Structures are given as structure tokens and as C-alpha cells.
Amino acid sequence: MNKKIKRIISLTLAIGTFSVIAPASNLDLFATKAYAYNTSDDVAFLKDIDVNHGSLNFSKTRTSYDIKLNSDVETIDITANPDKSTYDVTIDGEKKTGQWTKTIKLDKGRNKIAIRSEDSGENGPITYYVNVYRGGSTSTSSSDDDEVYIDNITLSDGDISFSRTKKSYDINVAQSVSEIRIKADPENEDDDVVTINGVTVDGEDKYRKTVALSSGKNVVTIVVEDHDGENGNKETYTLNIYRGGSVATTTTTGEIDDNQDSIYLDDIVIEDGTVPISFRPRVTSYAVDVKKDWENVIIKAVPQDDDRIVRVNGSKLSYDGKFRTQLALKEGKNVFEVKVTNEDEYDSKDDSSDAVKYKQRTYTLTVYRGTSQGTATGITSTNTANNNTNVNANIKVSQWVSNNGKWQYNDALGNSLKNMWFLDKSTSYWYYLDANGDMKTGWIQDGSGNYYYLYPNGAMASNTTIDGYKLGSNGAWSK
């Protein structure tokens, strides 16, 4: 198969794996079309999917299945059997190698369960979806099913505390920032259409667009609607981006490095995302803590352009290897240099002057093996990006901390988050921090006037009924 075609196929299949997971990771209110693949494609197919309740007629090239169960069925066992025993299989967010079975607790209504098979070699990943309808019809939807949302918005500069139900944001960036890259992931990548300032972005664009900024206020409109607007469902998000700052105050997440060339990584991922890092393309210094028993770490450094060259401590990463490498860790401080260049565009063998022409940017990733971390009940948190070299070394950053018996979350500068919702990517749950920065529990009413229920560990409840009150997919009480 042509390498370029193989690359396109792999990217298309892999695009959906990097978006932020919503609070209820096994639920999705939008149907997924059953797209099929040719068996000749280089894909890590499953051989079979088996369930202990209901039935499905499995075909390795069909990616979506519906199962209807009675309301008294509270769990379902799903067994995924890959074509090869060496394939990694992820069922509802949990990964193991080879065939395995997972028991999944079912909410009433529609439960969308993702099953992903992937190969460390050249075969591209594939994701299957099993839609389990507990006590409901596959053709009957609640009123929430008619809604569309953006799953997450990420920015190359500035800060955004995104909630899919909040439609307007004020964002400050420095005067030196003349453009900003915006990434808007839809909840349903198969059916939803996203436009940024009127320009459609899709999987091939990684749902992102670079927008030029003028001084002062810039209004960016992000629209998501179901495919071709066939049901007339549409939602608009507005970003008010202030170049040079505004009366609003935002928290800086790191020091921007404008001294190096304008060539960037798209992302840095540690241990396939299990160690979160608040990556920004123009921020080049990061630090994380890992447990003392970790003898090595997997680092994935993805360039914005697949034709760029990426090296970690001098060793070149390959596209076929998904830009991943495993590195040994010594106890204490480990410093890794991640460099991205466009050196392949020049032939330094023929003209030595070309060697200094190509662009390059170096990111520094410091991994501390054995550093202690703050861990809340039900919350496992890892110190993420410590981008500001001026942060007091005694202040815990990008992690949960206990303050007088109450849990708070410190940002990358060590400041506690206040009066806001916070999505902890390590747990995939939303939490609410009050005016004092304390994590709330129980029933609350936020600034939008909506009521939510937060479990004793702070995690927001959704798609369930608490004390007789029905909570929707966004966690809000449906009055």
C-alpha cells in the first residue's frame, strides 16, 4: 500500500482518540454511523466481539452495533478478541493486550461503549462502538438527543476553562501573539460538522484552524451542527480573544518561547495520556512527577506536520512508530530534550550552508521519578506542566492539594482555581471549585443558575437520578 495512503488511513482512524473525555466516559448522546473498512486495509481488526446479554452480528469491517436490553439488566460483559494476540485492546477506557472481557455498569437509556484495537507496528488502529440501550428503544431518543455540543476547545495561547454548556468565553493573550490556533473537537466526529469563523474543519485538519489576531478584541465563532444540518440542530460558541489583555483576568499557564523558530510540536503525550500534561505549542518547558517504581516512561511527541523530524535526546522518532519512544528513568530528576525540525527540506550534504537554514524548536521535559504527589480520595492526580521557571519550588503545581482539610486544585503557577468548573483529565470528571478554591460536594447551583450534584469525591454526576431528580448528560438537573 502507498505510504501516503496508509498514513491518511491511520490518521483518519486515530483522530478521535485525542479529545477530552466527557464526565461520563461510557455515554454519548449521539448515534454513530456504521462505517466499514476494506479487509485489505492495514488495520488492527478485531476478530470478534461477544456480549453476555443481547446479541450482535459481528463483522470485522463494521464499526457500530446496537443492543436493546430490559431495564433490569444493570451490567453487561463485553469480550473483545483481536485478530492477533499481540494487539492492544481498549474497552471503555481500559487497555489490555490480547483477548479480554470487561464488565460495564449500565445507566438507563443509551450507553455508548468504545472498543479500540491497535498495533504497535504498521497496522492502524480501529474503534468499534456498541450502543447498549437499557430499558429503551434504539429508535427512541430523549429530548437531549436533539442537542449537539463541542466536546472540547483547546488554544495555542491563552487559557480557557471549557464547559460544553458554556457558550461564551473571554480570553487574554499577549500583544506579541499575532495569531492563535484553535482546536474544536465535536462530540460526534462521524456526524457533526464544525466551522471556525465560517470555515469547515474536520478530521483531516484535526478540527483546528489558525486565526489571525488584531490588537484589542477579536471575536471568533465556532459552530457545531449535525451532519448537513439534517435535523436543524446547531450550537454556537463565541471566543472573545483580547490581544494585549482586557479588563478580565486570566491565569497564565506558562512562559511563551518566542526566541526559537516558528516550528512546533502538535502535542507531547506521556504514557499514552495517563500522565497528563498541559501542552502548549509555544511553551517549551515542562515538568512532571511519576512514581518511584517507574523504571521507564513512554513519550510521544507529535509534530504539527507529519513530514517534520522529531528527536528525543538525539534519537529520531518515526511516523510508523507513532512518534513514540520508551526511555529509562533513574531515580530523581530526568531531563529529556525533544527537538522538532524541518531539516529534511534541505540537503546539508551538498551545501553546508543549508545546515543552518532549517527551522528547529527544542522542548525540555523534566520527569521526576519518586516525587511525592497530592492525592484526593477517589482522585489520582499527577503533577502536570510546570512551565513557569519562576514558580516557587515548594508550591505544588497542576495538582490537587489539601488545604486545612479541604481539597483544592493548583494551576501551573501554583494558584488555586476559584469560582469555576475544572475537568481533571486524569479522571475524566468535572469538579467545581468555590470562591475559596475549595472542591464542592453535594448539591450546588453554579453561576449559570443550574443545579448539579457532586459525589463525595467531588466528581460531577451525569445521566443519572439523584434524590429523585434527573440529571442530564451535562450534569444539570432537568427541571
Side-chain angles (χ1 to χ4, degrees), residues 147-150 164-167 193 195 221-226 232-238:
E147 300 179 42
V148 291
Y149 294 101
I150 290 293
R164 65 178 189 165
T165 59
K166 182 180 178 181
K167 303 306 188 299
V193 177
T195 60
T221 302
I222 302 172
V223 178
V224 58
E225 56 186 326
D226 57 22
N233 303 321
K234 182 178 179 180
E235 198 62 76
T236 300
Y237 296 79
T238 302

Side-chain angles (χ1 to χ4, degrees), residues 118-303:
E118 54 191 322
D119 177 24
S120 59
E122 291 192 357
N123 293 321
I126 184 171
T127 301
Y128 300 85
Y129 296 95
V130 178
N131 302 299
V132 181
Y133 295 84
R134 179 187 170 198
S137 168
T138 59
S139 61
T140 302
S141 302
S142 68
S143 59
D144 285 343
D145 291 341
D146 294 331
E147 300 179 42
V148 291
Y149 294 101
I150 290 293
D151 187 57
N152 193 38
I153 296 176
T154 54
L155 308 173
S156 59
D157 289 284
D159 287 311
I160 181 170
S161 179
F162 180 77
S163 168
R164 65 178 189 165
T165 59
K166 182 180 178 181
K167 303 306 188 299
S168 181
Y169 300 85
D170 291 329
I171 298 156
N172 289 340
V173 299
Q175 182 64 41
S176 60
V177 178
S178 59
E179 61 181 24
I180 187 170
R181 192 188 66 182
I182 301 170
K183 188 171 187 287
D185 297 297
E187 282 201 331
N188 190 338
E189 295 181 358
D190 290 330
D191 289 339
D192 293 345
V193 177
V194 178
T195 60
I196 300 177
N197 276 1
V199 178
T200 300
V201 293
D202 55 24
E204 292 186 6
D205 307 310
K206 299 183 180 179
Y207 296 99
R208 66 190 187 196
K209 175 178 172 56
T210 299
V211 177
L213 299 177
S214 58
S215 294
K217 183 177 180 179
N218 300 260
V219 179
V220 177
T221 302
I222 302 172
V223 178
V224 58
E225 56 186 326
D226 57 22
H227 186 62
D228 294 329
E230 57 188 16
N231 294 321
N233 303 321
K234 182 178 179 180
E235 198 62 76
T236 300
Y237 296 79
T238 302
L239 308 183
N240 300 306
I241 303 175
Y242 296 86
R243 179 181 173 186
S246 72
V247 293
T249 301
T250 59
T251 303
T252 302
T253 59
E255 293 183 344
I256 294 174
D257 185 350
D258 283 329
N259 296 321
Q260 299 192 58
D261 295 330
S262 56
I263 182 171
Y264 306 98
L265 290 176
D266 189 53
D267 202 1
I268 294 177
V269 181
I270 304 174
E271 287 294 315
D272 294 328
T274 58
V275 177
I277 179 170
S278 301
F279 179 77
R280 296 290 178 86
R282 296 173 63 200
V283 175
T284 55
S285 181
Y286 299 88
V288 298
D289 293 344
V290 300
K291 295 179 180 180
K292 188 175 182 178
D293 60 359
W294 284 34
E295 296 182 351
N296 52 63
V297 65
I298 296 174
I299 297 174
K300 180 178 182 179
V302 185

